[in-house]
Amino acid sequence: ARRSGAAVETEKKLSAGGNKSAHSQVPNAKKLDENTETFKHDTVSHDFKMALQQARLAKKMSQAALATQINEKQSVINDYEAGKAIPNGAIINKLNRSLGVRLPKAK
């Protein structure tokens, strides 16, 4: 219609012109803004990481050898020994079986 020169009727619809539902006010926004607490994941305890390191060294294993034995990456063992890892029951059970020891509670 436009190419031929005829007028095209354009009229604004009543509720058009924006996605207001996506930008509506969040009911808990004030609460979220005021929340200043910092949350951290629990990492392995000092006792756990020392026991893991001593058990590994008693077996004369490197971190890489232990990781290979339990089918994990060497960085996982490194994180546990550095105290940076978030405790995972499955990995801790693998470590217990592989090293033949009962490691203390991770938390």
Side-chain angles (χ1 to χ4, degrees), residues 18-78:
N19 188 359
K20 291 188 177 94
S21 62
H23 304 289
S24 63
Q25 193 67 15
V26 179
N28 296 343
K30 188 175 181 186
K31 234 187 249 184
L32 289 170
D33 289 341
E34 290 172 355
N35 189 359
T36 57
E37 290 181 63
T38 55
F39 298 101
K40 286 186 176 180
H41 287 290
D42 290 332
T43 55
V44 293
S45 67
H46 182 73
D47 294 337
F48 181 88
K49 66 182 191 175
M50 295 310 291
L52 173 58
Q53 199 169 29
Q54 288 170 353
R56 179 178 59 81
L57 293 173
K59 286 242 179 184
K60 295 184 172 71
M61 294 175 84
S62 66
Q63 287 183 347
L66 178 58
T68 304
Q69 191 171 0
I70 66 166
N71 291 327
E72 293 291 340
K73 292 181 181 174
Q74 192 239 328
S75 61
V76 171
I77 306 298
N78 190 17

